[in-house]
Amino acid sequence: MTTSNLTRTTKHWDIFCTVVDNYGDIGVTWRLAKQLAAEYHIPVHLWVDDLHSFSHILPNLDPTLAQQTFIGVNIFQWNTPLDIEYVAGEVVIEAFACELPKQVKWVIERLHKQPQSSAPHWLNLEYLSAEDWVDGCHGLPSTQPSGIKKWFYFPGFNHKTGGLICEKNLFNERDQWQASPNNKMRLFEELGLSGIRVNDTVISVFSYESAALTALINQWQASPKPMHALVPKGRSLTSLAPFLPVDVTDLIPGQQFKMGNLTLHILPMTDQTGFDRLLWSCDFNIVRGEDSFLRAQWAAKPFIWHIYPQEDDYHLVKLQAFMRIYCDNLAAQIATTWTEVNLAFNQGDANAVVNHWQQLNSVILPLQQHAINWPNNALNDADLASRLVQFVKNS
């Protein structure tokens, strides 16, 4: 590649993503890429290092292809070094400090030095956090050795941050879905889940391994009314191995296991639209990571957030920061009960999580109402994509 070839010729945006923990990082970047393409008509090139994991949430994706297009987004295999010529566009986003390929940095630096060419806007999309310090760090530039500014973009829960990923029509689609129980019953049938009645309690489980989950499964068996736990193959099932008559690796979607008044259902993997509808259809959701955590909030249902564990238990600091803002308008008893069950689950405290789960029954109705009210308050009149587009225009 020569310097003479370094003229930006397209208006596209590049998003680079390394897949961590299978679905979290790619879940966020895939949603953002789709929204930018659909709602802002921005051509997006999404570079991903692990197309196999990506294919679990985009079933039609072929992990063997170097380039393919879905819903207006061009998806590229990110190999090291890049085996596809890189052509710069208007914006380049490194998701979650993933470190751009050397070829991309080289192109950006050369463009920056050309008087008749402008370098792309270079942003680092950070992880979502409710911590106070995010307000002061969002939108700050970092001047690189080349003289180029890289901007730090922090998603968040107030107007001082970069906002939250939420498609424009999402809440209307959710409300229409939840208006009729026929929708959830049809979904359960499509997923191969049998024996669920319309008034049974249904809980989706998408967590990491936890002794707290093992304890809850044991508790749910003695439920006074029928309960159903919907669990995809993955890390959650490791905690449920003691209850299963077969090895976890031998489980197949559609299998179910009756344990007292609880039925455990093995879920098939689904795309992001299907996952949203699953969350909308359950009475309570246990989710993990970042993408599922936010989608559980948009589902307008009570939930437990199993946050990704970090060294020195720093993840608990992030959890508590979110719980403070989520509980801001809740009555003390409701806030305390919901906070304690989340904390116990994340600490793997089997006894505490069972005790606090039992107390949820006394506050579940106001907690459900809070879950309905929360999404509009959290969105704060502007989603992440709209703020991001405006940020690029202003920077």
Side-chain angles (χ1 to χ4, degrees):
M1 185 182 298
T2 64
T3 303
S4 61
N5 294 328
L6 294 175
T7 300
R8 178 155 28 104
T9 59
T10 73
K11 297 289 187 179
H12 76 268
W13 287 24
D14 288 296
I15 302 176
F16 286 84
C17 174
T18 55
V19 177
V20 179
D21 185 38
N22 292 323
Y23 314 116
D25 292 8
I26 186 57
V28 171
T29 51
W30 176 227
R31 287 193 193 276
L32 176 60
K34 288 188 295 182
Q35 189 179 1
L36 289 171
E39 297 180 10
Y40 297 92
H41 309 293
I42 296 172
V44 179
H45 295 179
L46 178 59
W47 300 78
V48 184
D49 69 338
D50 181 359
L51 294 182
H52 178 72
S53 291
F54 189 3
S55 68
H56 287 121
I57 61 173
L58 180 56
N60 291 330
L61 185 73
D62 185 345
T64 67
L65 295 181
Q67 179 182 353
Q68 50 205 301
T69 302
F70 293 91
I71 324 178
V73 177
N74 297 313
I75 299 171
F76 294 88
Q77 170 68 58
W78 173 4
N79 290 324
T80 304
L82 288 183
D83 47 18
I84 304 173
E85 182 179 8
Y86 176 71
V87 178
E90 287 190 319
V91 176
V92 58
I93 298 174
E94 53 182 34
F96 317 119
C98 64
E99 189 69 25
L100 294 180
K102 290 181 180 179
Q103 297 101 308
V104 175
K105 288 185 178 180
W106 188 88
V107 171
I108 294 174
E109 290 172 1
R110 296 308 184 277
L111 283 171
H112 181 70
K113 294 176 181 178
Q114 291 188 25
Q116 296 183 348
S117 177
S118 58
H121 297 278
W122 183 2
L123 294 89
N124 182 19
L125 176 64
E126 296 283 353
Y127 287 105
L128 171 62
S129 178
E131 295 170 276
D132 293 339
W133 61 264
V134 168
D135 296 1
C137 293
H138 170 63
L140 291 182
S142 173
T143 302
Q144 305 301 296
S146 61
I148 304 173
K149 288 182 178 179
K150 177 170 70 172
W151 303 86
F152 290 97
Y153 196 92
F154 282 87
F157 292 89
N158 63 51
H159 67 278
K160 296 179 181 179
T161 68
L164 303 165
I165 292 179
C166 184
E167 300 80 6
K168 287 182 179 178
N169 202 39
L170 181 68
F171 294 172
N172 287 334
E173 292 175 359
R174 178 204 63 204
D175 292 344
Q176 291 174 12
W177 180 272
Q178 293 178 340
S180 171
N182 292 335
N183 290 320
K184 71 175 184 180
M185 299 308 294
R186 185 169 59 252
L187 175 67
F188 296 154
E189 182 179 353
E190 292 171 356
L191 292 173
L193 312 179
S194 60
I196 303 177
R197 296 177 299 184
V198 69
N199 291 321
D200 290 351
T201 299
V202 182
I203 300 175
S204 74
V205 181
F206 184 57
S207 69
Y208 305 110
E209 302 87 346
S210 175
L213 178 58
T214 308
L216 283 179
I217 291 292
N218 195 52
Q219 168 69 21
W220 294 342
Q221 295 181 54
S223 168
K225 62 177 293 188
M227 292 186 67
H228 301 266
L230 315 185
V231 191
K233 290 195 69 174
R235 298 178 66 172
S236 299
L237 285 173
T238 304
S239 300
L240 308 187
F243 302 102
L244 302 173
V246 298
D247 191 271
V248 169
T249 58
D250 295 328
L251 294 171
I252 58 174
Q255 279 185 293
Q256 63 183 53
F257 303 93
K258 182 77 172 175
M259 298 175 285
N261 229 6
L262 171 70
T263 304
L264 176 66
H265 300 262
I266 308 302
L267 282 174
M269 286 298 297
T270 182
D271 61 12
Q272 290 185 324
T273 298
F275 184 67
D276 281 334
R277 290 174 175 173
L278 176 69
L279 297 177
W280 299 347
S281 301
C282 294
D283 300 290
F284 197 100
N285 296 300
I286 300 177
V287 292
R288 75 187 199 202
E290 178 172 327
D291 179 61
S292 302
F293 159 59
L294 188 55
R295 305 315 280 197
Q297 294 174 60
W298 295 161
K301 295 294 182 74
F303 65 96
I304 287 174
W305 178 26
H306 197 187
I307 189 170
Y308 187 78
Q310 293 179 286
E311 290 184 6
D312 300 321
D313 286 340
Y314 184 71
H315 59 292
L316 297 181
V317 175
K318 297 176 68 174
L319 173 65
Q320 289 169 328
F322 170 72
M323 292 193 299
R324 279 194 298 271
I325 65 167
Y326 188 78
C327 295
D328 185 48
N329 295 320
L330 275 175
Q333 180 187 359
I334 306 167
T336 298
T337 302
W338 183 80
T339 297
E340 292 295 344
V341 76
N342 271 270
L343 193 58
F345 195 98
N346 279 275
Q347 292 175 322
D349 191 330
N351 292 328
V353 78
V354 167
N355 291 335
H356 295 303
W357 180 269
Q358 291 173 325
Q359 295 171 22
L360 273 179
N361 289 329
S362 63
V363 299
I364 196 64
L365 292 179
L367 186 60
Q368 288 173 342
Q369 187 58 52
H370 179 70
I372 293 170
N373 297 335
W374 169 256
N376 287 321
N377 295 332
L379 195 56
N380 221 355
D381 297 326
D383 65 286
L384 186 145
S386 64
R387 294 189 193 189
L388 181 59
V389 170
Q390 191 61 45
F391 181 85
V392 168
K393 289 181 180 179
N394 295 339
S395 62

